[in-house]
Amino acid sequence: MVHKLSQSAGRINVMISSTMVDLPIYRSEVRDACLRQGMFPLMMEYLPAANADGMAESLRLVDEADIYLGIFARRYGYEPEGYSISITEMEYNRAVERGIPCLIFLMHPSHRLSTEIPEAADGAAKLEQLKGRLGTKHVVNFFESPADLRANVVNSLSQYHNSAPNSFHNIGAIPAPPEPYIAHPYTLLQTKDVVGRRGEFELLTDWVHKSSSEVYQARILNIVSIGGMGKSALTWKWFNDIAPRKMKPLAGRMWWSFYESDARFENFVLRSLAYVTGQANDEAQKPTLSEAQERLLRVLDRRPFLIVLDGLERMLIAYARLDPARIPDEVLDEQTSNSVGSQSFQPVGDAQLFAGNKLLRRAADPRAGAFLRELATVKASRVLVSTRLYPADLQAVTGEPVRGSFAYFLPGLSDDDAIALWRSLGNTGSPEAVLSLFNTFDKHPLLIQALAREVARNRHAPKDFDGWLRHHRDFNPFALDLVQVRSRVLDFALRDLDPNVSVVLQTIAAFRMPATYDTLTALLVGVDKLFAAESALDAALTELEDRGLLGWDRRANRYDLHPIVRGVAWNNVRDADRLNIYSRLERHFESLPSVREDEVESLEDLTPAIELYNTLIGQERYDDAWSLFDERILKPLWFRLSASREQASLLEALLQDKYELLTKRKALFRLANPEAQAGLLDTLASAYHLIGQPGMAESLYKDAASIEGQTGGKDSVVASKEGDAGNQINRTEMTEKHIRIKLSALCHLSAVRRLSGKFRGSIAAAREGLNFAREHGDSVWEATSLRYLGLVLAVLNDVNNSEKALMHALSIYRRLGDEQNQGTTYAFLAQRALWMGEFEAAEGLLKEAWRCAEKKKYKRDFIRVSRLKGAAALGLNDFSKANDQFHHALTVGREAIFVEEELPAIVGLAELRRRQKDLRSANELLSDAWQPAENGPFLLSLVDAYNVLAQIKVDEGDLDLSLEAATKAFRLAWCDGPPFIYHHGLETARKHLSALGAPLPFDLSETNPVSVPIDEGEID
């Protein structure tokens, strides 16, 4: 029977009631059983130690609970003075009064606790007395061990399971210092203790006591490591167990985790301020973000607080994406140049230089990066950071940490700690042989753990490494590189897995996204399935986690594998078994209802469709996969989520050779149908366009527009009108859908050519699309072609024709009732007004653009309008509004990977900082723009950036560099030559050169008036 609970908030709270002294191991198993069911465990040990009235606190937890879960031995609780019953029994009585489900688990009479007093060991009488006092109707089962108890709890809680998303956020009252403020509890969601790390604990302790070296003078200490090294566990243990004793006097301490979905930078600043000032939450919300930052820094400068920022990498550009947990460690290190001074994660002896981009380690929100630098200057407080990547905002141009910051790259375990971990798992073996192996993979804790579990289960020589080696002479990883060693170790760690546990691992390896507990239960538990009860699945997942093979995200109750584990596990699956796994996944995900586009709020909402797509790819059913993507995934992924990187990643599976695409820009299809090929190229090009590669997108759009239908006969093929993308139009064979794909490709081809400064080609593509749309009677794409034509004409300063084209497009959209496209057209008109210096007119147009954007709520529409609002406000010298709008556009644009708007937002902010006389910040902002603008290329943004730089250098008194920047801006803005020039950028550069008394690189006499060959009949 499935029970329904009265709560409806999605999160089910379970009060775990027992004595903490007698049953700590049992309580931790029950805690994880709750988390496995997606329920939130309420436990006394995670309440602040400062709360003196334990009884009142325990009863408060019962009042917050949806389920009461009691664990009782014969000696079942402490009876406080003045009370005839124990606190545990009081908790139970309160739960009964509230009428919530009560689940009681009793220790079997034959089982004894190590802490039990002799006279309590006679179980029969005590058990009967206990059952009488508690009420037998609530007694669920007996247990004989922690594992037995956990299995019973998992099966019992499954009756109350709620598949609604959980919330582990702690948004309640903020305590008054010095009571610690733990915004996002960590120990609650952690099962393993820290092994060793004595040197690191000493480093942290010395950091707050000594001042004789650089590390001890730092106000921000960054613990940097790859996944699985234990950086969060290390900082959590020091924060709770050591810092309170060593940091005296201490005004207060705060733990904040950026892994939580509510842990945005703004929330951190506001809640931190509320804590350090002792203000209530509502009071802390009153100041603006900039005011809150200033007040918070003043308090931290005067009073000694300890602030821990866990998972800081989630604030950085590299993680500003929808699936940050799935980025491979090695790839991320190389892409981001993750090094500080001489420290990095490069293996010793590897001479290959990082080819990465330090920009990816900057804060996605520049305000956060600036705040980090300010934190490094406070005098009284200390900030401890755990992060996957060292923030580039705390790094000087020399590569060293800025003054006040220090980076400690957490290595693998020390020799003693590695041996201690090995021994703690019950294994023996000569230290020399064991360490010789461990050194091949840098003594990574998870790999030690994985191999230890395999050796412990060896049937020939259990727990004996030397004996295990004698029976596995083919195990010789010593000549391999680091990645190969990891694969080799994991391959052996998988060999002796129980067959059912192997099936669970292989099933999870088949998923593209992290697998939810609900999905695994549906696939593996039930009649005629792998497991009869959920407790068996729980045991399998626990074993995989204990071996270090499986990652369990307890917050979301999802399960995933490290890329190397996934590769090794999947390579061990036979072809026939792979097809069986894919078939099971297909049946499951195909049976789930589709989510409406307007209901999609996150990538998780598309999980069934994406996993179904992945299974079709795995079965080499590529045409079916494309049809599914086109019908169920494309629109919400493209419009609702702006998930362009994920879109590209999914679609690349439909190409035979991604390398061929990236190097030769040639697509080799796994699809046979020309319409599907054209659709694939168009949507793939759109993804590359948004993630900052318009050059790559151009060739794909061009190819998409060139693909025609199957020739139906000589008479069916006619020459197309003027254009450089298409060659022939097949009237009889091109479907309506194929026609729309061609139109989409032509319009977006015009867009990427405009961004790249190819204005002649941009106009040609827009005109070809316009003629093609009219020939086929497609009003939507006729208006869209006019819109793109109008914008490129505005770039050229063709005032009249640009307005005519844009207004004609707007009138068509109005006639069609298409408000979303009306909003985009208003935004284009606003951009035109900004280039002409009409800032108030732009503001009026942007009000209309925002109103229209509210209808569909597409993320890119809001980003575009916010950036343009910032530019209009800057033109009107409203610096506060410009600051807010530019930051919103930049931060959300980075999250959505909308580089087309991210770059002008950066340039706009740089100009704002220049006008505010903050030249250092202006230079730093521009440093983020050069590489993506050049790589795109995004010529308009590059010209604007050089023009801002030219004025910055004038303000700094460096006229030589100003001249160099202005000259580059002028030459780049020249583009194809008059009339195909970036007029606004060229005029700005001309004014800089004139003020500097420098000659112009080219003759401007041909640029005014602009004469672009446009037939007015096309745009009227």
Side-chain angles (χ1 to χ4, degrees):
M1 175 182 177
V2 178
H3 296 263
K4 300 294 183 182
L5 302 178
S6 59
Q7 63 82 40
S8 60
R11 169 171 132 174
I12 298 175
N13 293 325
V14 180
M15 166 60 175
I16 301 176
S17 176
S18 76
T19 56
M20 289 188 291
V21 175
D22 288 339
L23 302 167
I25 298 176
Y26 296 81
R27 289 175 65 84
S28 67
E29 293 291 344
V30 173
R31 174 200 63 199
D32 280 359
C34 293
L35 293 170
R36 189 76 82 202
Q37 288 293 341
M39 300 176 183
F40 191 84
L42 301 176
M43 304 175 71
M44 281 290 292
E45 48 262 58
Y46 300 125
L47 293 174
N51 292 334
D53 191 348
M55 184 177 68
E57 287 297 319
S58 67
L59 294 180
R60 181 180 63 81
L61 291 183
V62 177
D63 291 338
E64 294 178 4
D66 302 294
I67 298 174
Y68 171 88
L69 198 153
I71 316 167
F72 294 93
R74 267 81 64 197
R75 191 159 59 89
Y76 52 84
Y78 165 69
E79 296 177 3
E81 185 177 354
Y83 292 87
S84 59
I85 60 174
S86 68
I87 291 180
T88 307
E89 194 168 345
M90 291 180 190
E91 294 168 351
Y92 168 73
N93 290 338
R94 176 66 67 88
V96 172
E97 290 174 8
R98 292 191 56 225
I100 62 174
C102 297
L103 308 178
I104 305 296
F105 297 87
L106 298 175
M107 182 175 290
H108 195 277
S110 63
H111 188 59
R112 285 191 59 184
L113 294 170
S114 60
T115 58
E116 224 165 33
I117 55 177
E119 56 268 26
D122 182 14
K126 294 287 184 182
L127 181 60
E128 288 303 317
Q129 180 187 23
L130 185 61
K131 288 171 65 177
R133 295 178 72 172
L134 296 178
T136 56
K137 68 176 182 178
H138 292 144
V139 176
V140 176
N141 216 324
F142 294 89
F143 61 90
E144 297 185 0
S145 67
D148 183 33
L149 174 61
R150 175 169 176 158
N152 284 325
V153 171
V154 166
N155 289 334
S156 297
L157 289 179
S158 66
Q159 301 175 80
Y160 303 90
H161 182 76
N162 184 350
S163 59
N166 283 318
S167 169
F168 287 96
H169 302 159
N170 182 6
I171 317 178
I174 296 174
E179 183 179 335
Y181 173 32
I182 300 172
H184 312 100
Y186 177 76
T187 301
L188 180 64
L189 306 175
Q190 178 72 12
T191 59
K192 304 296 185 295
D193 196 6
V194 179
V195 175
R197 295 294 189 190
R198 188 175 77 174
E200 282 75 17
F201 285 126
E202 290 177 353
L203 171 75
L204 290 171
T205 300
D206 289 345
W207 168 55
V208 298
H209 275 299
K210 298 182 179 179
S211 58
S212 58
S213 67
E214 182 183 6
V215 60
Y216 306 129
Q217 294 172 1
R219 287 304 179 257
I220 300 180
L221 176 57
N222 301 268
I223 305 296
V224 190
S225 83
I226 61 176
M229 283 291 188
K231 54 186 175 293
S232 293
L234 171 71
T235 52
W236 173 261
K237 185 175 179 64
W238 185 80
F239 171 83
N240 279 282
D241 298 345
I242 301 174
R245 293 185 283 109
K246 299 295 184 179
M247 293 186 70
K248 293 181 179 180
L250 191 61
R253 52 195 171 98
M254 174 180 172
W255 174 280
W256 184 273
S257 174
F258 285 101
Y259 292 120
E260 301 291 349
S261 59
D262 74 323
R264 298 185 303 276
F265 171 64
E266 296 91 334
N267 286 347
F268 163 70
V269 172
L270 294 171
R271 295 183 200 168
S272 298
L273 178 62
Y275 173 62
V276 300
T277 59
Q279 294 178 334
N281 272 338
D282 57 318
E283 293 182 57
Q285 302 298 326
K286 290 179 181 178
T288 65
L289 181 62
S290 58
E291 292 170 342
Q293 287 177 241
E294 292 176 7
R295 290 174 56 188
L296 177 59
L297 287 168
R298 286 199 299 269
V299 175
L300 296 179
D301 190 59
R302 296 194 310 267
R303 303 180 62 200
F305 284 89
L306 171 65
I307 308 291
V308 178
L309 304 178
D310 184 39
L312 185 70
E313 72 272 6
R314 296 303 174 92
M315 290 177 59
L316 309 183
I317 294 174
Y319 280 83
R321 51 186 292 167
L322 294 178
D323 59 345
R326 295 177 65 83
I327 307 175
D329 287 328
E330 295 80 11
V331 172
L332 194 60
D333 280 334
E334 292 180 4
Q335 287 180 345
T336 63
S337 302
N338 191 30
S339 60
V340 179
S342 61
Q343 297 186 82
S344 76
F345 289 124
Q346 285 290 84
V348 176
D350 189 345
Q352 180 182 4
L353 296 176
F354 282 126
N357 179 4
K358 195 174 78 170
L359 167 65
L360 295 174
R361 289 191 284 111
R362 285 198 183 277
D365 185 341
R367 292 172 297 183
F371 184 74
L372 283 176
R373 292 193 294 274
E374 292 291 337
L375 274 179
T377 66
V378 300
K379 296 182 178 63
S381 296
R382 301 284 181 133
V383 180
L384 177 60
V385 170
S386 70
T387 180
R388 173 65 187 80
L389 299 171
Y390 183 72
D393 297 283
L394 293 176
Q395 197 167 9
V397 293
T398 60
E400 299 295 329
V402 299
R403 183 177 180 85
S405 177
F406 188 83
Y408 178 75
F409 279 57
L410 187 65
L413 297 174
S414 68
D415 288 353
D416 290 343
D417 289 347
I419 293 296
L421 176 58
W422 182 259
R423 302 281 190 234
S424 71
L425 296 170
N427 290 321
T428 62
S430 65
E432 295 77 11
V434 171
L435 288 174
S436 177
L437 170 62
F438 292 171
N439 285 326
T440 64
F441 51 77
D442 292 341
K443 297 189 282 287
H444 192 292
L446 286 183
L447 290 176
I448 294 175
Q449 191 174 336
L451 187 62
R453 299 291 183 181
E454 149 62 9
V455 171
R457 290 170 170 80
N458 179 36
R459 63 180 183 276
H460 300 292
K463 301 183 179 181
D464 177 16
F465 179 66
D466 299 324
W468 182 85
L469 277 180
R470 287 193 296 272
H471 289 88
H472 296 83
R473 297 188 182 278
D474 56 337
F475 180 73
N476 183 24
F478 298 96
L480 305 175
D481 64 30
L482 181 60
V483 174
Q484 291 174 318
V485 170
R486 292 174 180 173
S487 298
R488 188 70 168 161
V489 170
L490 291 170
D491 185 51
F492 274 81
L494 299 179
R495 288 189 177 186
D496 292 335
L497 275 179
D498 177 89
N500 287 351
V501 178
S502 291
V503 171
V504 175
L505 181 68
Q506 292 163 1
T507 300
I508 295 173
F511 282 76
R512 180 180 182 88
M513 302 169 69
T516 66
Y517 180 76
D518 290 333
T519 300
L520 293 176
T521 302
L523 288 168
L524 301 171
V525 180
V527 179
D528 297 328
K529 294 182 180 178
L530 188 66
F531 301 119
E534 290 189 34
S535 57
L537 173 61
D538 170 65
L541 295 172
T542 300
E543 179 176 343
L544 291 172
E545 189 187 15
D546 287 345
R547 284 174 175 256
L549 303 173
L550 177 70
W552 178 17
D553 179 355
R554 288 162 170 79
R555 297 169 177 85
N557 205 13
R558 301 189 304 181
Y559 303 83
D560 204 1
L561 308 177
H562 187 284
I564 295 178
V565 177
R566 183 184 301 277
V568 172
W570 195 241
N571 286 336
N572 290 338
V573 183
R574 297 178 302 178
D575 290 343
D577 292 335
R578 289 186 187 183
L579 289 177
N580 287 335
I581 292 173
Y582 278 135
S583 295
R584 289 200 303 271
L585 291 175
E586 181 187 0
R587 287 193 299 271
H588 171 72
F589 287 112
E590 202 168 35
S591 67
L592 300 179
S594 300
V595 180
R596 286 180 14 210
E597 179 189 342
D598 59 358
E599 294 177 343
V600 173
E601 299 293 340
S602 68
L603 196 63
E604 285 70 31
D605 295 330
L606 291 177
T607 295
I610 291 175
E611 292 296 353
L612 181 56
Y613 173 87
N614 189 53
T615 64
L616 295 173
I617 294 291
Q619 297 174 77
E620 300 184 1
R621 293 164 54 188
Y622 302 115
D623 291 293
D624 292 338
W626 165 251
S627 297
L628 173 71
F629 184 91
D630 190 36
E631 294 168 7
R632 293 178 52 184
I633 300 175
L634 175 57
K635 283 189 176 180
L637 201 65
W638 172 254
F639 291 112
R640 294 287 294 178
L641 302 180
S642 299
S644 44
R645 183 176 288 159
E646 287 70 23
Q647 179 174 316
S649 178
L650 289 168
L651 291 175
E652 284 164 356
L654 296 174
L655 300 176
Q656 291 184 17
D657 191 340
K658 179 181 175 182
Y659 178 78
E660 188 83 6
L661 174 68
L662 296 178
T663 56
K664 301 180 182 179
R665 298 190 176 179
K666 181 179 179 181
L668 302 176
F669 299 101
R670 286 172 164 168
L671 304 173
N673 182 278
E675 177 188 298
Q677 293 174 359
L680 169 61
L681 286 180
D682 183 47
T683 52
L684 184 58
S686 298
Y688 286 137
H689 175 179
L690 289 184
I691 62 178
Q693 300 180 48
M696 169 74 77
E698 179 184 357
S699 63
L700 297 181
Y701 283 135
K702 188 174 179 179
D703 289 345
S706 300
I707 294 177
E708 305 293 351
Q710 298 295 328
T711 303
K714 183 177 180 180
D715 294 337
S716 67
V717 180
V718 297
S720 70
K721 293 187 178 181
E722 178 187 356
D724 65 302
N727 298 315
Q728 291 180 327
I729 302 171
N730 190 315
R731 296 182 187 278
T732 59
E733 295 297 329
M734 285 187 72
T735 65
E736 290 297 319
K737 184 173 184 179
H738 195 165
I739 290 169
R740 289 195 299 272
I741 292 170
K742 181 181 178 77
L743 288 166
S744 171
L746 287 170
C747 285
H748 293 125
L749 179 61
S750 174
V752 295
R753 285 176 171 172
R754 170 178 49 79
L755 293 170
S756 302
K758 299 177 181 179
F759 303 139
R760 188 191 302 272
S762 176
I763 290 173
R767 294 177 71 182
E768 182 177 358
L770 179 60
N771 293 332
F772 193 65
R774 286 173 173 169
E775 181 177 349
H776 290 275
D778 193 315
S779 298
V780 172
W781 286 106
E782 176 187 1
T784 305
S785 300
L786 283 166
R787 190 174 74 202
Y788 282 114
L789 178 61
L791 188 59
V792 70
L793 292 175
V795 174
L796 309 185
N797 198 39
D798 187 344
V799 178
N800 293 327
N801 285 330
S802 63
E803 183 179 31
K804 287 180 180 179
L806 289 169
M807 292 305 295
H808 191 179
L810 187 61
S811 68
I812 295 175
Y813 289 135
R814 283 172 175 165
R815 174 167 53 82
L816 297 173
D818 187 341
E819 290 199 82
Q820 189 272 329
N821 273 313
Q822 287 179 50
T824 305
T825 309
Y826 277 121
F828 281 20
L829 283 164
Q831 178 64 81
R832 173 183 173 276
L834 290 171
W835 281 326
M836 296 170 60
E838 299 173 354
F839 303 115
E840 291 182 351
E843 282 199 325
L845 290 164
L846 290 170
K847 288 180 181 178
E848 290 299 304
W850 190 272
R851 177 186 61 78
C852 294
E854 290 281 0
K855 301 298 181 181
K856 288 283 190 179
K857 299 188 183 299
Y858 293 158
K859 188 176 294 186
R860 283 192 297 274
D861 290 343
F862 291 118
I863 295 169
R864 182 187 296 109
V865 176
S866 290
R867 193 270 301 176
L868 291 169
K869 281 184 173 182
L874 183 60
L876 296 169
N877 294 317
D878 187 344
F879 290 175
S880 177
K881 181 178 179 180
N883 184 69
D884 291 343
Q885 294 294 337
F886 278 139
H887 272 113
H888 180 266
L890 179 56
T891 304
V892 181
R894 282 172 167 171
E895 291 173 356
I897 317 180
F898 194 10
V899 182
E900 178 181 338
E901 289 296 334
E902 175 188 337
L903 289 174
I906 291 174
V907 176
L909 270 174
E911 172 61 12
L912 172 62
R913 294 291 176 262
R914 185 197 70 78
R915 295 192 195 181
Q916 293 174 322
K917 312 300 183 185
D918 186 355
L919 301 183
R920 175 185 172 184
S921 294
N923 277 306
E924 288 176 348
L925 282 161
L926 285 183
S927 69
D928 289 354
W930 302 122
Q931 184 174 335
E934 290 171 354
N935 289 350
F938 289 91
L939 184 131
L940 275 68
S941 291
L942 195 58
V943 171
D944 292 341
Y946 275 119
N947 275 324
V948 173
L949 181 63
Q951 190 59 54
I952 290 173
K953 295 308 171 186
V954 168
D955 295 347
E956 291 176 344
D958 193 336
L959 300 186
D960 289 339
L961 283 180
S962 178
L963 175 61
E964 182 181 343
T967 302
K968 285 183 177 180
F970 191 98
R971 290 181 178 277
L972 288 169
W974 191 259
C975 298
D976 297 328
F980 301 103
I981 59 171
Y982 174 27
H983 183 269
H984 174 75
L986 195 74
E987 279 297 299
T988 304
R990 184 186 64 77
K991 292 176 182 177
H992 285 315
L993 292 171
S994 177
L996 292 167
L1000 302 181
F1002 303 112
D1003 183 7
L1004 274 173
S1005 60
E1006 300 180 48
T1007 65
N1008 291 302
V1010 172
S1011 176
V1012 180
I1014 293 294
D1015 180 357
E1016 288 197 5
E1018 288 182 307
I1019 58 179
D1020 283 342

